[in-house]
Amino acid sequence: MTIEDFIREFTPADDGSDSSLPSQRRAYEALHARRRVADPAGMQIRDEVMGGVDVRRFRPAGCVEGNVVYLHGGGWSLGSVDSHHGITASLAERLRREVISVDYRLLPEATYAEALADCRAVVEAVGPVAVIGDSAGGRLAIDVAHTSEWKGLLGLIYPVVGTPTVETLGEDGPLLSRADILSLWQMAAPDAPDVDAAVPPARIIETLAVERDPLTRPLEQAIESWRRNGASVGYRCAPDMVHAALHGHGDLPEMQTAWQDFCQAVERRLDGES
């Protein structure tokens, strides 16, 4: 698959059909259901409730100690443990650790504070060695790290950092524009914690960005600040890739390489290597 094929597949149809949020959610879930591949051999998967929140647990064959909590993307209003099933299964297999995917409440039915509370509840119940999130889930992971007693490795995949503005964001990408981000941020902002974006959310952070994404510029600027303030931050950027391309990590060579690099870096950190 080429990146242009991926963009076409993930671009919403502009055919005058129902554009309501329930319809968007159904389309989002259906798209990812079509792309879902078979689970890795020996992977144990079960749904349960943890800390009062629905989760899905992925336990790979040969699992080692130390759970990882995963917070899915989707602009805080889309997404679920189903839509990100393939990503979390792949992460569990690559890290050789159990990954717990959080089905936090979505906006606008819930507030950002309630979504964050769900994520914190699971983190506090599990005490994971790492919290990893993509996109909107990356921002939730940052805010969990800033507002809880949890200490561990923070993994961020094209996250929303700081306060997005037209001036701070990069150029529009094929699947995500500055206007998209600002519109979504308006829903979250009233209940988002007031934290200094220059303060590292964790002591050890691994990050993954993509080249054609307006969120990459503010992430790179945040990384510079985090490093100056004492955090150890790993960074890689997948060339020519776009926001949401993690869902194509099995088909897009550049994303596959970046995803493998990210997972290997997280694994080395968790194994105590430099």
Side-chain angles (χ1 to χ4, degrees):
M1 170 181 278
T2 69
I3 188 58
E4 298 308 322
D5 290 334
F6 180 87
I7 291 168
R8 281 191 292 272
E9 182 178 353
F10 273 69
T11 299
D14 186 14
D15 56 6
S17 57
D18 184 5
S19 61
S20 66
L21 183 56
S23 178
Q24 291 179 43
R25 286 174 175 166
R26 289 192 296 271
Y28 188 87
E29 296 292 336
L31 170 61
H32 294 300
R34 291 194 300 271
R35 293 191 55 82
R36 184 166 161 178
V37 298
D39 294 324
M43 181 80 67
Q44 298 177 23
I45 301 169
R46 70 178 187 274
D47 293 338
E48 61 180 68
V49 176
M50 184 176 291
V53 181
D54 291 338
V55 300
R56 179 166 295 169
R57 306 181 72 155
F58 297 79
R59 186 174 181 84
C63 187
V64 300
E65 286 189 23
N67 294 332
V68 174
V69 166
Y70 192 87
L71 308 178
H72 69 78
W76 302 296
S77 61
L78 305 174
S80 66
V81 296
D82 288 325
S83 64
H84 285 63
H85 184 107
I87 292 171
T88 41
S90 173
L91 183 65
E93 181 182 34
R94 290 174 182 273
L95 297 184
R96 299 175 296 113
R97 286 173 168 81
E98 182 179 50
V99 172
I100 300 168
S101 183
V102 182
D103 218 7
Y104 58 84
R105 285 172 285 180
L106 299 178
L107 282 61
E109 293 90 343
T111 65
Y112 183 85
E114 289 171 328
L116 178 59
D118 288 347
C119 299
R120 287 184 55 174
V122 174
V123 169
E124 290 167 1
V126 173
V129 294
V131 174
I132 298 175
D134 74 278
S135 191
R139 178 50 177 258
L140 285 165
I142 289 171
D143 288 341
V144 165
H146 271 304
T147 63
S148 72
E149 296 300 317
W150 170 80
K151 304 295 180 186
L153 182 147
L154 186 63
L156 303 174
I157 302 157
Y158 37 64
V160 180
V161 297
T163 300
T165 66
V166 172
E167 293 74 24
T168 60
L169 294 168
E171 295 297 320
D172 291 348
L175 295 179
L176 187 67
S177 69
R178 287 168 291 185
D180 293 333
I181 296 166
L182 296 176
S183 176
L184 292 167
W185 179 245
Q186 285 184 339
M187 287 196 301
D191 297 292
D194 183 15
V195 297
D196 186 346
V199 175
R203 186 178 64 85
I204 301 174
I205 307 170
E206 285 294 336
T207 62
L208 169 58
V210 289
E211 183 179 10
R212 301 160 67 187
D213 183 350
L215 292 173
T216 296
R217 178 192 291 173
L219 174 60
E220 291 176 341
Q221 292 173 343
I223 289 171
E224 291 179 9
S225 297
W226 295 343
R227 286 172 172 166
R228 286 196 302 269
N229 286 287
S232 176
V233 188
Y235 175 72
R236 70 276 309 147
C237 183
D240 201 36
M241 295 294 100
V242 300
H243 199 83
L246 185 57
H247 288 284
H249 67 84
D251 303 314
L252 299 166
E254 294 87 352
M255 201 68 216
Q256 186 174 61
T257 298
W259 176 235
Q260 177 175 295
D261 183 28
F262 173 83
C263 292
Q264 288 177 343
V266 170
E267 185 179 19
R268 286 194 299 270
R269 297 273 205 175
L270 295 181
D271 287 344
E273 302 175 21
S274 59

